[in-house]
Amino acid sequence: MDKELQRIADEVEMLSGKLSALKQEIGKVIIGQEDTVSQLLITFLAGGHALLEGVPGLAKTLMIRTLANAIDLKFKRIQFTPDLMPSDIIGTEILEEDHTTGKKFFKFNKGPIFSNIILADEINRTPPKTQAALLEAMQEFEVTYGDKTYQLDKPFFILATQNPIEQSGTFVLPEAQQDRFLLYIKIGYPTQQDEEAILKATTGTFKKKLNRVISGDDIVRLQQLVREVSISDALISFVSDIIRATRPETTTDAYVKDWVDWGAGPRAGQAMILTAKANALLEGRLAVTLDDIKAVALPVLRHRVLVNFRAEAEGITSDKVATHLLSAI
């Protein structure tokens, strides 16, 4: 047993080195935003999808493209627009002819969803019908067209972006689809020091060259190792208490009863534990601590706790509810 633990520890150390190299490669292009980059890597390690929100010009698209370029996986970008159709994402059947027999037949022409890393750029610009085309792929890692189901390559990640300040020509993501995203990441403005470094680095002629430092097989193995990270029963109970406390019908917290309409479901608890494990592994540890749970609580809960209209009018957000519960429990 000791030899097995040592083997796993050695493997974790080797793969942690590759994750550190990946962070360094991303840092060649993305200045600052360390928390956002870490949350994207946590999403990868936990095998989920991420929704990034931020005002224009904060390098959301560049960050995802840079991450994809440093990983040896297939990458596709889909620019979401109001006229985008489901077939533009999934693919469609085309009529072909067998030149030997002259017979005609339909062949499924795979769309951009058949890749490893998908950048769904400005996902809230497309109507619900097209947004819904992603649901099966996000949850089941497969696509159904007609009477046939096609398996997607693994690992498979959808990294979506949206602009919080634009209203014209946008469609709010349904709660069911938001719940498919493991993390909801909000990107803020850079610090003054980072902003000056960005201005200096992006207005000259020198361009950084990115290297592919980690493979798809490495990502798959890291996802398996995340499941092996241990978590105590006490911390599992802590996560369960937080999730149950977000629900007005089961909580005893007056703050939640006053401001929350709908609390988080069991998937939120699963997401919190998995991402806490991923955060521990990202830091080279094989056991979850309370700090790991606190590090992922906000991006896990902010799209799964729905505040009421009074709360919105008073500026009470789901982040404030989650922060309150973390300190109260």
Side-chain angles (χ1 to χ4, degrees):
M1 187 65 181
D2 291 340
K3 287 184 179 179
E4 179 65 14
L5 287 173
Q6 185 59 47
R7 184 191 66 78
I8 293 175
D10 291 341
E11 190 175 14
V12 168
E13 185 177 355
M14 182 270 292
L15 291 172
S16 293
K18 291 190 175 185
L19 287 173
S20 298
L22 178 59
K23 278 187 173 182
Q24 289 177 359
E25 289 300 307
I26 295 170
K28 290 180 180 178
V29 178
I30 303 300
I31 297 170
Q33 303 289 5
E34 288 87 358
D35 288 345
T36 303
V37 171
S38 293
Q39 288 173 10
L40 283 174
L41 294 180
I42 286 169
T43 302
F44 273 40
L45 297 183
H49 315 286
L51 177 62
L52 281 77
E53 182 180 278
V55 298
L58 294 182
K60 299 185 296 296
T61 302
L62 178 63
M63 191 180 300
I64 294 171
R65 184 181 290 278
T66 302
L67 176 61
N69 288 340
I71 300 176
D72 191 16
L73 288 172
K74 292 183 291 182
F75 169 71
K76 290 285 178 66
R77 173 183 176 179
I78 306 173
Q79 183 63 53
F80 281 71
T81 56
D83 60 347
L84 194 74
M85 297 297 291
S87 58
D88 296 325
I89 299 172
I90 294 172
T92 187
E93 286 185 333
I94 56 175
L95 187 63
E96 289 197 351
E97 182 178 344
D98 189 325
H99 297 293
T100 306
T101 62
K103 290 184 177 180
K104 294 183 178 180
F105 60 95
F106 283 101
K107 178 184 176 183
F108 180 66
N109 192 27
K110 292 181 177 180
I113 196 73
F114 288 89
S115 193
N116 297 111
I117 302 175
I118 307 295
L119 167 55
D121 212 4
E122 296 186 285
I123 190 172
N124 58 333
R125 280 194 169 277
T126 200
K129 179 180 179 180
T130 306
Q131 291 175 7
L134 296 173
L135 290 176
E136 183 184 13
M138 294 174 74
Q139 187 65 28
E140 310 296 337
F141 297 95
E142 62 187 25
V143 167
T144 301
Y145 189 93
D147 59 352
K148 196 166 182 181
T149 298
Y150 302 86
Q151 296 296 319
L152 295 168
D153 293 336
K154 290 185 178 180
F156 175 74
F157 308 100
I158 290 180
L159 305 176
T161 69
Q162 68 177 13
N163 180 353
I165 62 174
E166 209 158 17
Q167 302 297 326
S168 178
T170 61
F171 303 84
V172 178
L173 292 180
E175 283 72 15
Q177 185 169 4
Q178 288 189 42
D179 195 38
R180 296 296 200 284
F181 288 104
L182 189 70
L183 295 182
Y184 183 175
I185 304 168
K186 289 192 175 182
I187 305 178
Y189 288 111
T191 64
Q192 182 175 351
Q193 183 179 357
D194 286 341
E195 191 152 7
E196 289 175 1
I198 290 168
L199 296 175
K200 183 178 180 180
T202 57
T203 54
T205 57
F206 181 70
K207 286 189 176 181
K208 299 283 181 72
K209 182 181 178 182
L210 289 177
N211 301 307
R212 294 182 182 270
V213 295
I214 193 168
S215 69
D217 290 339
D218 291 331
I219 296 290
V220 170
R221 181 55 185 147
L222 282 163
Q223 290 176 351
Q224 293 169 348
L225 287 172
V226 163
R227 299 274 178 168
E228 296 180 26
V229 173
S230 64
I231 180 171
S232 68
D233 290 343
L235 287 178
I236 291 177
S237 295
F238 177 71
V239 170
S240 177
D241 289 344
I242 290 176
I243 301 305
R244 294 186 63 80
T246 64
R247 304 167 190 163
E249 62 271 21
T250 60
T251 189
T252 57
D253 193 296
Y255 190 90
V256 173
K257 288 183 178 293
D258 284 343
W259 303 117
V260 175
D261 259 352
W262 294 97
R267 187 179 285 157
Q270 295 169 337
M272 194 175 294
I273 289 174
L274 270 179
T275 53
K277 287 185 173 188
N279 190 70
L281 192 66
L282 190 61
E283 295 183 1
R285 290 181 283 105
L286 288 172
V288 174
T289 67
L290 183 60
D291 287 339
D292 292 319
I293 293 172
K294 289 181 176 180
V296 300
L298 295 189
V300 164
L301 292 175
R302 65 168 49 115
H303 55 306
R304 295 182 169 101
V305 175
L306 304 181
V307 297
N308 55 37
F309 288 114
R310 268 194 322 117
E312 291 178 3
E314 295 291 334
I316 305 295
T317 63
S318 56
D319 277 8
K320 289 185 178 180
V321 173
T323 302
H324 164 78
L325 290 175
L326 284 172
S327 61
I329 295 176

